[in-house]
Amino acid sequence: MPFMPVKFNSQKRVKLAQGLWLIYWLSVIVGIFIFSLGIFFKIELRKRSEMMDNNESHLVPNLLILVGLLACGINAFGGKVCHDSLDPVKFAKWKPMLKPYLMMCCGFNGLLLLTGLLCFLMQFAVYLTLAEGLKNSIKFYKDTDTPGRCFMKRTLDMTQIEFRCCGNNNFRDWFEVQWISNRYLDMSNDLVKDRVLSNVEQKYLMDSVPFSCCNPGSPRPCIQHHLTNNSAHYDYDHRIEELNIWTRGCREALFSYFSSMMSSIGILVLGTIILESADMAGLKYLTTALETMEDPENPECESEGWLLEKGVKETFGDLLTKMKTLGKGNQVDEGGDAQEAAT
Amino acid sequence: MAVWRVKFTKTKRDKLAQVLWILNWFSVLTGAILFSLGIFLKVELNKQEEMMADRDIHYVPNMLIAVGLIACAINFLGGKICYDCVDTNKFLRWKLIMLPYIIFTFFFTFCVLVGALMCYTMRGELEESLNLGLTQAMKFYKDTDTPGRCFLKRTVDILQIEFQCCGNNGYKDWFQIQWISNRYLDMTHKDVADRLRSNVEGKYLMDGVPFSCCNIDSPRPCIQQQITNNSAHFNYEHQTEELNLRMKGCRQALLDYFTHIMQSIGLTVLIIWLFELSVLTGVRFLQTSLENVLKQGDPDSESDGWLLENSFMETARTNLNIIKSLGKSNQIDDGNNGDPNINVPSTSIANYGPDNVPPKEAPEAS
């Protein structure tokens, strides 16, 4: 008893072939789209790699690029088969390749599922990498004369301006770090000396933030220095002032940016699985409909198409026995051996 | 003496018609490109409209939009005509319209050329508009409590950050205006009162700039206050310090940005103009060759196609005479002082019928 049989006459077969050809080309476009999304994600990770200590994992974008290319190839092949399916001569060429092709499509669906899941699971890794990376970025902000770190200041300033954030968790992270290099501090000044000595690690700490934390939407000119000292500024209360500098931390800002990107890509990949399954089902119907034509010379005859030749349980049973015999193929047959030894 | 006479066989004519059909559809696409370029320019100008004083610069994108739409329509019609020209019968439908269509399109291509040239001439007006607009914007930077101007500070800050510029001509423009509102100045403080009094207009001026002027490429934390005072900062020389603040003025930055956009748009429109002109030439050849075929009577025969039937000078002269006679049709003939009753001898031979017809039998008079 075939699984989900459908009767096909000539017109239905032609329509199925044409519709399937269109869907395959749509799948090729989706494959190209996934490829370009992979490239876009890779570029974005590269752009922000300084914020992540150059430690970020490029597994997901590389997988996406691979999956995109594979999808293009597989679906283009499927489209060619559909295009040739209505011509019996050309179709005979493709017939022997169909079974391995469908197996490959199954495998590809599995790969798509894995990629989709990774898009969601790798977000945790991105979060942890960001936390560590930003901490180090803030620490090395002042080292504009150290080779390899000269542009950390520029990158961090640009990130804080672009993502409208300040510091790692919030702006107070800047109070714990010396972000002004010693070359711009007048060590002969008493105030500077006091501040440096008051600290265990001899760091010049202050309650100020860099200018990139400033919020342009604030009605008053930006207050960067002496942030916690209300009396240093006229009509200023640091506990209720919310518009002066950005209150969000950069880890949260960057993470929400990457997380939304990865989630949408993950959803698209999972949607592609559905599209690919529809492709496979359509191709199976078309090939079985063409194979079961009673009179191959008469294109007008009716035929039947199905998804599986036997029912689902029977097909699985067959598969399992096949796999068992594959495993047993190396084992010596004991009965035959004994007989040989006897003669 | 025809201008640029070319012989056309039937197959050549058909091929020309098909190629022109495809080219006309391509021209519809270029018309759509013109339209979208106009829209893009309009959107970009609108984005910065707060920085521009009221000047009539929107005529350039409006012209591009109008020209783009008309180009789409004309080329759509042209495509339809060329599609029908393969069949000589269908050509008869379009025969009368084709010449006026070609003349109209020829004058329309001048509009496209004018549109391209306007892109290059807009620069002067834009510069003036930006100068006035930026001066105004900086003057009202501190008025974040005045309705209608609350967001000017935010707009100027974002502009200076995005275009990497400071002030109108340079950062010193900020020294000449009060950009801190009085609500944030402690009037009881001695320094503040001194500074206000030292100024004729009672403005709080200082050698400081807003944070948005800071250059992110600077190796040291940004120095915004007391910029011209070298002793206020350690190891600082304001005459040689170039990386601390942005050196470029915002007027120059915006002008460069828009000039770059308009040069690209102008170049694209020029290329589109050349393309339209070549398609028009092809349509003219098609029209003349089909008309000649009709004159000869045999639709499969060879025919000549040309740009102009006579040389340039003769065509110009004929057209001028046509225009003159159109003008003269109302005027009275001046030859006999305007009196129509004077007998002017006729120089033509009067025609009273053939000579050798025998007279009819006269009926008997009773």
Side-chain angles (χ1 to χ4, degrees):
Chain A
M1 187 83 296
F3 182 61
M4 289 179 52
V6 176
K7 281 230 172 291
F8 284 101
N9 59 12
S10 158
Q11 232 184 5
K12 248 178 145 180
R13 269 200 302 273
V14 171
K15 260 206 194 141
L16 176 65
Q18 287 173 337
L20 200 59
W21 180 76
L22 273 175
I23 295 182
Y24 265 116
W25 279 108
L26 180 69
S27 307
V28 171
I29 291 177
V30 170
I32 293 176
F33 190 51
I34 291 182
F35 173 76
S36 47
L37 277 178
I39 299 241
F40 168 69
F41 189 33
K42 203 173 171 73
I43 292 177
E44 282 297 308
L45 277 179
R46 274 275 161 81
K47 268 208 276 186
R48 323 275 171 211
S49 67
E50 268 194 295
M51 298 291 110
M52 299 197 250
D53 250 356
N54 293 323
N55 239 348
E56 76 276 10
S57 160
H58 277 262
L59 176 66
V60 175
N62 290 340
L63 253 183
L64 282 173
I65 290 173
L66 178 70
V67 159
L69 286 172
L70 275 177
C72 280
I74 286 179
N75 292 319
F77 179 76
K80 183 89 180 74
V81 170
C82 284
H83 187 254
D84 287 345
S85 63
L86 293 173
D87 181 357
V89 175
K90 288 196 193 157
F91 186 61
K93 239 194 327 172
W94 299 119
K95 246 198 193 166
M97 298 195 225
L98 281 175
K99 201 157 186 330
Y101 173 71
L102 281 173
M103 302 253 85
M104 196 162 62
C105 281
C106 276
F108 180 65
N109 268 356
L111 184 64
L112 274 176
L113 184 65
L114 176 71
T115 311
L117 284 176
L118 272 179
C119 279
F120 288 103
L121 294 174
M122 287 297 276
Q123 291 179 18
F124 295 110
V126 168
Y127 187 82
L128 293 171
T129 327
L130 271 175
E132 189 63 33
L134 276 171
K135 204 157 61 119
N136 287 334
S137 292
I138 293 179
K139 210 164 69 176
F140 301 137
Y141 183 82
K142 64 175 173 22
D143 296 333
T144 46
D145 52 349
T146 314
R149 290 198 214 130
C150 339
F151 294 111
M152 188 62 90
K153 175 183 178 298
R154 183 179 189 274
T155 315
L156 192 51
D157 277 336
M158 209 150 63
T159 307
Q160 291 193 145
I161 289 176
E162 200 181 318
F163 285 89
R164 304 187 194 170
C165 58
C166 188
N168 196 349
N169 297 303
N170 54 35
F171 64 88
R172 284 170 208 273
D173 296 321
W174 289 108
F175 298 174
E176 297 157 17
V177 159
Q178 176 180 352
W179 55 273
I180 301 185
S181 173
N182 281 337
R183 0 192 247 297
Y184 307 118
L185 291 172
D186 185 6
M187 292 307 181
S188 57
N189 188 323
D190 283 335
L191 287 168
V192 175
K193 272 197 283 198
D194 281 342
R195 211 183 262 270
V196 171
L197 289 170
S198 74
N199 187 273
V200 174
E201 295 162 38
Q202 314 266 293
K203 293 198 284 191
Y204 185 83
L205 304 179
M206 46 184 197
D207 53 350
S208 314
V209 291
F211 78 93
S212 42
C213 283
C214 286
N215 184 352
S218 164
R220 81 183 287 169
C222 187
I223 292 169
Q224 287 176 248
H225 303 286
H226 308 294
L227 279 168
T228 49
N229 186 357
N230 284 348
S231 52
H233 316 278
Y234 182 66
D235 193 15
Y236 174 68
D237 184 357
H238 77 272
R239 285 182 197 91
I240 52 175
E241 186 68 53
E242 278 183 354
L243 286 174
N244 185 39
I245 52 175
W246 299 116
T247 44
R248 199 160 67 145
C250 284
R251 185 181 61 217
E252 196 197 313
L254 280 168
F255 178 65
S256 74
Y257 173 68
F258 278 118
S259 138
S260 61
M261 201 193 302
M262 287 168 92
S263 300
S264 14
I265 294 181
I267 290 176
L268 177 71
V269 168
L270 292 176
T272 311
I273 296 179
I274 299 175
L275 185 66
E276 288 285 331
S277 313
D279 282 340
M280 275 170 65
L283 189 65
K284 184 72 174 170
Y285 272 124
L286 184 65
T287 48
T288 45
L290 285 170
E291 278 168 10
T292 59
M293 279 204 300
E294 289 126 15
D295 186 6
E297 301 300 311
N298 175 17
E300 296 292 323
C301 70
E302 285 211 346
S303 63
E304 206 186 23
W306 54 70
L307 275 181
L308 293 171
E309 198 161 351
K310 310 173 184 147
V312 184
K313 271 196 192 157
E314 289 181 37
T315 321
F316 268 119
D318 279 348
L319 263 175
L320 277 171
T321 41
K322 235 192 231 169
M323 285 206 286
K324 277 191 199 159
T325 47
L326 268 175
K328 271 202 193 148
N330 293 339
Q331 280 182 352
V332 172
D333 189 5
E334 281 192 8
D337 217 23
Q339 216 171 10
E340 264 188 49
T343 52
Chain B
M1 187 88 317
V3 175
W4 213 351
R5 187 188 284 262
V6 178
K7 270 219 173 304
F8 281 102
T9 57
K10 170 125 179 66
T11 38
K12 232 178 156 186
R13 269 200 306 275
D14 287 345
K15 234 194 216 168
L16 180 66
Q18 282 170 346
V19 165
L20 281 177
W21 174 66
I22 295 176
L23 284 182
N24 265 306
W25 273 106
F26 197 66
S27 295
V28 173
L29 198 68
T30 56
I33 291 176
L34 261 182
F35 174 75
S36 49
L37 281 176
I39 298 253
F40 169 70
L41 187 60
K42 205 170 173 71
V43 164
E44 283 296 313
L45 283 173
N46 271 340
K47 272 207 271 187
Q48 308 295 341
E49 70 176 340
E50 275 184 308
M51 301 295 131
M52 297 193 216
D54 245 349
R55 275 276 183 286
D56 198 14
I57 42 171
H58 276 269
Y59 65 90
V60 178
N62 289 341
M63 172 101 178
L64 283 175
I65 291 172
V67 162
L69 282 174
I70 298 179
C72 279
I74 285 184
N75 289 312
F76 182 72
L77 180 65
K80 186 92 183 63
I81 293 178
C82 290
Y83 185 71
D84 283 345
C85 279
V86 182
D87 187 356
T88 332
N89 292 328
K90 286 198 193 157
F91 170 66
L92 289 168
R93 256 198 295 173
W94 296 110
K95 189 169 157 221
L96 290 171
I97 304 183
M98 257 186 116
L99 189 59
Y101 167 79
I102 289 175
I103 296 176
F104 179 70
T105 313
F106 183 66
F107 286 117
F108 173 71
T109 48
F110 279 121
C111 287
V112 175
L113 185 64
V114 163
L117 293 175
M118 275 209 275
C119 287
Y120 293 102
T121 56
M122 201 175 118
R123 192 199 151 101
E125 281 201 30
L126 189 63
E127 181 158 9
E128 231 195 79
S129 167
L130 279 173
N131 196 11
L132 285 171
L134 278 169
T135 319
Q136 291 278 81
M138 279 167 63
K139 209 164 72 175
F140 299 137
Y141 182 84
K142 64 175 176 15
D143 296 333
T144 47
D145 53 348
T146 314
R149 292 196 211 130
C150 341
F151 292 112
L152 209 50
K153 175 186 178 296
R154 185 172 182 273
T155 314
V156 171
D157 278 333
I158 289 179
L159 176 78
Q160 293 193 144
I161 291 175
E162 204 179 305
F163 285 87
Q164 299 176 357
C165 59
C166 187
N168 196 350
N169 297 304
Y171 64 85
K172 297 201 194 220
D173 295 330
W174 288 108
F175 298 173
Q176 294 157 359
I177 57 165
Q178 176 180 350
W179 54 272
I180 301 184
S181 174
N182 280 338
R183 353 194 254 299
Y184 306 118
L185 291 171
D186 184 7
M187 298 303 183
T188 57
H189 200 250
K190 189 175 170 304
D191 284 337
V192 176
D194 277 344
R195 212 181 261 271
L196 283 171
R197 267 199 302 260
S198 73
N199 186 273
V200 173
E201 296 161 38
K203 292 201 285 194
Y204 184 82
L205 303 179
M206 50 179 198
D207 53 350
V209 292
F211 79 93
S212 43
C213 282
C214 287
N215 189 352
I216 56 177
D217 291 322
S218 168
R220 83 183 287 171
C222 186
I223 292 168
Q224 292 173 241
Q225 317 287 355
Q226 297 176 302
I227 293 171
T228 49
N229 185 358
N230 285 346
S231 51
H233 316 277
F234 182 66
N235 194 12
Y236 175 67
E237 169 76 53
H238 85 270
Q239 271 108 346
T240 53
E241 186 66 53
E242 278 184 356
L243 284 175
N244 184 38
L245 301 174
R246 302 279 187 199
M247 290 289 134
K248 205 175 196 188
C250 284
R251 188 188 67 228
Q252 189 60 40
L254 277 172
L255 199 61
D256 285 345
Y257 174 69
F258 278 117
T259 310
H260 175 70
I261 290 181
M262 301 222 281
Q263 273 176 351
S264 326
I265 292 184
L267 188 66
T268 314
V269 177
L270 272 176
I271 293 176
I272 292 179
W273 173 69
L274 284 171
F275 184 70
E276 290 268 345
L277 213 54
S278 53
V279 171
L280 186 65
T281 315
V283 173
R284 171 68 176 164
F285 273 122
L286 187 67
Q287 180 233 347
T288 43
S289 63
L290 280 172
E291 280 190 350
N292 285 335
V293 154
L294 282 179
K295 271 192 221 156
Q296 285 169 6
D298 179 13
D300 290 333
S301 66
E302 273 201 2
S303 67
D304 279 340
W306 52 64
L307 270 184
L308 293 172
E309 194 163 353
N310 309 311
S311 67
F312 277 122
M313 303 285 5
E314 281 188 45
T315 321
R317 222 179 294 141
T318 339
N319 285 333
L320 272 173
N321 285 337
I322 293 178
I323 297 175
K324 272 194 206 159
S325 60
L326 273 176
K328 265 200 193 153
S329 60
N330 293 339
Q331 283 182 346
I332 304 171
D333 187 6
D334 255 8
N336 297 314
N337 294 331
D339 192 345
N341 286 329
I342 295 178
N343 189 16
V344 177
S346 170
T347 47
S348 61
I349 299 170
N351 193 0
Y352 292 113
D355 277 341
N356 47 1
V357 175
K360 266 202 198 143
E361 285 284 318
E364 286 282 315
S366 54

